[in-house]
């Protein structure tokens, strides 16, 4: 079946640095990918919709200059957390949309900012 | 997005059936009912979806009320590996449409 791969699965970084998270659709082309964030004991919150070849659409309250999204190909979207701070520590999850198919999710990236 | 309502938590015993309810009284005619589950520290996993008729697959069954204002996810024989948060989500079946997650039901399976 379709698989979405997310890398890295966990990362620890120092406050003020930037971190890039990759999301790949392994056996299908995804024109649209979604980025979610999940804090402990909470549900997933949609951050942005990533469209191949165009600018991402951000949800209300999500800073586009802080969470940079690039969807340069049909199989890869990246989320860069710029100038990370401890409050950005969270579980980041991507998903990819395939025509006439349920969404497929990556296994998430645990970000810890020290 | 139309809203769904689920119990915060449910408990079951291993090898017994589990019925997870979901209310979606404001569902529109084009909304499909999707169920996903999330195990600890993992991304959500697709379980099943349907529009009007009941659906069965290898993981579960989905029973949809005639008026479509509620549905029930049925796990026929719960195992310890079924312990997860189960999300009932409405989604327009258009290519690229997003999912909006509610709080879901935390299912505990007792040995």
């Amino acid at each position: 079946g379709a698989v979405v791969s997310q890398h890295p699965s966990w990362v620890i970084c120092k406050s003020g640095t930037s971190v890039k998270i990759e999301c790949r659709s392994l056996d299908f082309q995804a024109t649209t990918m979604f980025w979610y964030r999940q804090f402990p004991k909470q549900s997933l919150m949609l951050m942005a919709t990533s469209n191949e070849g165009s600018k991402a659409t951000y949800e209300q309250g999500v800073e586009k200059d802080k969470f940079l999204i690039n969807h340069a190909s049909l199989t890869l979207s990246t989320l860069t957390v710029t100038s990370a701070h401890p409050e950005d520590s969270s579980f980041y999850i991507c998903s990819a949309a395939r025509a006439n198919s349920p969404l497929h999710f990556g296994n998430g990236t645990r970000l810890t900012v020290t | 997005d139309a809203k769904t309502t689920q119990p915060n938590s449910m408990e079951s015993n291993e090898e017994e059936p589990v019925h997870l309810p979901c209310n979606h009284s404001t569902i529109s005619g084009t909304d499909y009912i999707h169920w996903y589950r999330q195990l600890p520290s993992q991304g959500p996993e697709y379980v099943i979806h349907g529009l009007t008729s009941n659906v069965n697959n290898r993981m579960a069954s989905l029973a949809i009320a005639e008026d479509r204002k509620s549905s029930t996810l049925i796990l026929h024989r719960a195992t310890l590996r079924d312990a997860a948060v189960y999300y009932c989500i409405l989604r327009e079946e258009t290519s690229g449409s997003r999912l909006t997650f509610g709080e879901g039901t935390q299912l505990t399976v007792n040995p």
Side-chain angles (χ1 to χ4, degrees):
Chain A
V3 176
V4 173
S5 173
Q6 205 172 323
H7 178 82
S9 54
W10 60 270
V11 58
I12 301 171
C13 72
K14 291 188 175 179
S15 190
T17 61
S18 296
V19 173
K20 181 185 282 189
I21 302 169
E22 292 187 348
C23 180
R24 292 180 186 273
S25 57
L26 295 185
D27 61 355
F28 68 98
Q29 294 181 330
T31 53
T32 305
M33 291 185 176
F34 302 95
W35 287 95
Y36 291 84
R37 179 167 56 181
Q38 186 176 33
F39 292 107
K41 305 289 185 186
Q42 294 186 24
S43 186
L44 285 79
M45 285 176 32
L46 180 65
M47 298 176 68
T49 301
S50 169
N51 301 297
E52 188 268 336
S54 65
K55 290 183 178 179
T57 304
Y58 290 81
E59 295 298 305
Q60 195 171 12
V62 178
E63 299 175 58
K64 61 181 180 182
D65 294 330
K66 180 167 183 63
F67 299 100
L68 300 179
I69 291 173
N70 184 281
H71 194 155
S73 77
L74 287 171
T75 60
L76 174 64
S77 175
T78 59
L79 168 69
T80 301
V81 183
T82 62
S83 187
H85 291 286
E87 57 265 32
D88 298 324
S89 299
S90 189
F91 193 49
Y92 292 86
I93 307 169
C94 72
S95 68
R98 185 181 190 181
N100 301 315
S101 177
L103 281 184
H104 301 279
F105 287 82
N107 267 334
T109 297
R110 176 80 54 197
L111 171 63
T112 303
V113 184
T114 61
Chain B
D1 296 328
K3 187 176 167 55
T4 63
T5 305
Q6 299 176 253
N8 288 334
S9 62
M10 289 187 67
E11 241 179 275
S12 171
N13 295 320
E14 206 175 1
E15 304 284 309
E16 290 183 358
V18 182
H19 290 233
L20 297 165
C22 180
N23 287 320
H24 28 79
S25 58
T26 59
I27 190 171
S28 74
T30 55
D31 285 335
Y32 281 70
I33 302 158
H34 285 248
W35 284 83
Y36 284 76
R37 71 180 185 182
Q38 186 180 24
L39 278 65
S41 298
Q42 293 188 26
E45 173 189 28
Y46 167 78
V47 178
I48 200 166
H49 78 286
L51 182 62
T52 56
S53 305
N54 294 343
V55 185
N56 299 297
N57 65 21
R58 63 175 180 81
M59 289 182 73
S61 295
L62 176 60
I64 301 173
E66 207 167 316
D67 62 5
R68 301 211 324 128
K69 293 186 176 182
S70 65
S71 60
T72 302
L73 179 70
I74 302 166
L75 307 179
H76 296 285
R77 290 180 67 191
T79 69
L80 296 178
R81 287 177 296 179
D82 291 323
V85 178
Y86 286 79
Y87 296 98
C88 166
I89 305 166
L90 302 183
R91 180 191 183 203
E92 290 186 0
E93 198 62 12
T94 57
S95 179
S97 62
R98 63 188 197 177
L99 292 179
T100 301
F101 286 78
E103 297 306 312
T105 297
Q106 173 69 63
L107 175 65
T108 301
V109 181
N110 300 313

